[in-house]
Amino acid sequence: MRVDYSPDAMDPGSFYRLLTAVVVPRPIAWVSTLTPDGATANLAPHSFFTVACTDPPIVQFTSVGRKDSLRNAEATGEFVVNFAPEPLFAEINATATDFPRDRSEFDAVGIEREPSLRVRPPRVAASPVALECTLHSTLRLGDSTVVFGRVVHAAVHEDALVAGRPDIELLRPLSRLGGNEWGTVGEVHELARAPYRDTARD
């Protein structure tokens, strides 16, 4: 027997909590941006994040409300998606705090930055992967805005590579679950896709 939930009969916050409890696990985009004057580097985690297109390479994250990441990306046309690894769990969570716009999360939390190669916002030095992006477009949906960024450069730490490919056990990605829950990789299964010609029968 199922329990039915109607978004029209619930307040948005309650249905939001239901959605985030069942759309799991969600990868985390740890987004760094600069204020338009270049004075403040913002850093914030966004758990509505995925690949939007492969050619050209475009990633997307969603800002629920008009957060600094969104406003800075719109104003400057640039942002960096830093990989969110398990060893930086406390720092990632700390940068979710609603610091004032003129206060850098890098400085407030004590996160070392490094210069990006193709864009102005800095990268997180300790993050194993950085995707440097230029703003492709945004899409407003109700109380949220989807931000699309074209990846113009990717930087992967050599310690996270095996045979030239990022390795999941070395990356150790964090993910968001429901409520205040976070997920780690756990057990990894490998299973190749079977081409139709190998499965079709007369």
Side-chain angles (χ1 to χ4, degrees), residues 35-36 40 42 67-69 71-72 75 99-104:
T35 51
T40 305
N42 176 261
K67 296 180 178 176
D68 291 340
S69 301
R71 291 192 286 170
N72 290 343
F99 290 102
R101 182 166 169 75
D102 61 354
R103 182 79 191 278
S104 170

Side-chain angles (χ1 to χ4, degrees), residues 61-155:
F61 73 90
T62 298
S63 174
V64 179
R66 300 234 1 122
K67 296 180 178 176
D68 291 340
S69 301
L70 168 63
R71 291 192 286 170
N72 290 343
E74 286 180 329
T76 66
E78 298 178 331
F79 62 91
V80 177
V81 174
N82 301 278
F83 190 89
E86 185 180 346
L88 297 180
F89 175 36
E91 290 86 349
I92 295 165
N93 186 59
T95 59
T97 300
D98 56 342
F99 290 102
R101 182 166 169 75
D102 61 354
R103 182 79 191 278
S104 170
E105 287 81 359
F106 282 95
D107 299 334
V109 180
I111 297 172
E112 183 181 356
R113 65 187 87 182
E114 67 180 22
S116 296
L117 186 68
R118 296 283 305 277
V119 297
R120 290 187 305 144
R123 306 188 301 220
V124 174
S127 174
V129 183
L131 303 177
E132 300 178 13
C133 302
T134 57
L135 183 65
H136 176 277
S137 57
T138 60
L139 176 63
R140 183 73 179 268
L141 298 169
D143 68 348
S144 302
T145 302
V146 185
V147 180
F148 297 93
R150 179 163 183 163
V151 181
V152 295
H153 183 72

